[in-house]
């Protein structure tokens, strides 16, 4: 079956998993750590909620940990592909995974 024959939800290269896991991110030019919540995750990226605005194109190192203490955590370099929201309601970021860090 070609991608034309597939339904819209099946055209992705990676399956998107809904999760709710704590996320910490370190910007390449910033000394502090930004906290957030990873809402969904796929092989190519993730959707993150945070109170901090991060501009599109910004590169960062993210770590997602399990609430249940399972290891290993996901540790990856990512780039902000989308950003929506405001300071009052928070921001929803679309992050593209650039590289998995071991």
């Amino acid at each position: 079956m070609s991608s034309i024959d597939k339904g819209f939800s099946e055209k992705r290269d990676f399956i998107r998993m809904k999760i709710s896991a704590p996320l910490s991110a370190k910007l390449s030019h910033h000394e502090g750590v930004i906290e957030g919540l990873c809402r969904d995750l796929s092989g190519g990226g993730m959707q993150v909620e945070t109170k901090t605005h991060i501009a599109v194109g910004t590169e960062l190192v993210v770590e997602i940990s399990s609430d249940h203490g399972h290891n290993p955590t996901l540790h990856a370099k990512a780039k902000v592909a989308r950003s929506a929201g405001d300071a009052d309601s928070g921001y929803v970021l679309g992050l593209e995974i650039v590289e998995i860090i071991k």
Side-chain angles (χ1 to χ4, degrees):
M1 177 185 312
S2 74
S3 64
I4 295 171
D5 298 329
K6 294 180 182 178
F8 178 77
S9 64
E10 297 178 24
K11 290 184 181 178
R12 303 184 141 277
D13 290 333
F14 299 101
I15 294 172
R16 187 180 294 191
M17 299 180 299
K18 297 288 184 190
I19 65 172
S20 182
L23 172 131
S24 62
K26 182 163 177 49
L27 300 170
S28 56
H29 65 281
H30 190 273
E31 292 183 18
V33 174
I34 295 167
E35 300 296 329
L37 193 62
C38 182
R39 287 297 187 187
D40 71 40
L41 177 66
S42 76
M46 63 191 80
Q47 183 181 69
V48 173
E49 292 178 1
T50 183
K51 296 289 185 187
T52 307
H53 177 266
I54 305 172
V56 170
T58 302
E59 292 189 1
L60 43 119
V61 174
V62 298
E63 185 172 296
I64 300 173
S65 50
S66 168
D67 282 336
H68 307 290
H70 297 148
N71 283 324
T73 59
L74 174 68
H75 195 202
K77 290 182 184 176
K79 182 168 72 170
V80 179
R82 289 183 316 283
S83 179
D86 56 44
D88 293 329
S89 62
Y91 299 92
V92 177
L93 308 176
L95 303 182
E96 173 188 353
I97 296 174
V98 176
E99 176 185 351
I100 300 295
I101 301 171
K102 294 187 181 200

